[in-house]
Amino acid sequence: MDAMSMYQEQILDHYQNPRNHGTLDEPVTIRREEYNPLCGDRLVLEMRVVDDKVEAVRFRGHGCAISQAAMSMLSEEIVGKSVDELKQLQKQDVLDLLGIPLSPARLKCALLSLKAVKAGVYGVPQYDIDEDDE
Ligand code: FES
């Protein structure tokens, strides 16, 4: 199997079997919802930060394979990291996890996950999450 097919298989696997999927038990330190206005896809990310380290992560939502797989991959990546390390995460880190070239439209899908993490740790205000709207 070539490298590209391997990455595509991994994306599919994360999409079909998302890691850290669901709702985090309390206490939840950071809860953030992001959505892509172009397609309506959304992510709700929850993190528990203890002693400045991410102890647990859960996410839910719906969307295309790239948006959900990227969040699944990133969720594994961020457990154990400090808040400062989360602030340092770059677009390229998410692209490296996915490992395949993306069109500009797909880039938005991939970066929805990073947006949720960044906006969450920086405490960007947002409207209340409607838990029924899934
Ligand atoms: Fe909606 Fe990818 S098509 S996030």
Side-chain angles (χ1 to χ4, degrees):
M1 188 187 294
D2 62 27
M4 191 67 75
S5 321
M6 197 187 75
Y7 279 118
Q8 280 166 344
E9 287 238 335
Q10 275 177 11
I11 290 169
L12 198 61
D13 180 47
H14 274 267
Y15 177 56
Q16 290 172 338
N17 310 292
R19 321 303 196 263
N20 299 308
H21 193 261
T23 303
L24 194 60
D25 293 336
E26 293 294 337
V28 175
T29 322
I30 295 170
R31 181 180 285 118
R32 181 75 198 182
E33 178 182 28
E34 288 295 334
Y35 85 109
N36 182 343
L38 298 175
C39 58
D41 293 348
R42 72 194 283 266
L43 287 172
V44 177
L45 174 67
E46 295 174 330
M47 294 187 268
R48 178 158 56 245
V49 179
V50 177
D51 294 335
D52 195 44
K53 287 249 184 304
V54 179
E55 188 191 80
V57 179
R58 291 288 182 277
F59 79 95
R60 56 195 184 277
H62 58 81
C64 65
I66 297 287
S67 71
Q68 304 300 304
M71 187 69 259
S72 170
M73 289 172 168
L74 194 57
S75 76
E76 289 191 310
E77 199 65 18
I78 61 184
V79 174
K81 288 211 179 337
S82 69
V83 169
D84 259 2
E85 286 173 312
L86 297 190
K87 288 180 177 174
Q88 310 290 325
L89 283 170
Q90 302 291 320
K91 167 176 141 183
Q92 193 58 45
D93 296 318
V94 179
L95 298 183
D96 288 348
L97 288 172
L98 289 164
I100 56 164
L102 296 173
S103 68
R106 297 275 104 178
L107 204 56
K108 273 202 170 6
C109 306
L111 296 181
L112 201 60
S113 56
L114 185 62
K115 212 172 146 197
V117 172
K118 293 273 195 167
V121 292
Y122 278 104
V124 179
Q126 66 174 45
Y127 58 90
D128 283 342
I129 297 171
D130 181 352
E131 293 289 343
D132 297 330
D133 179 27
E134 289 210 23

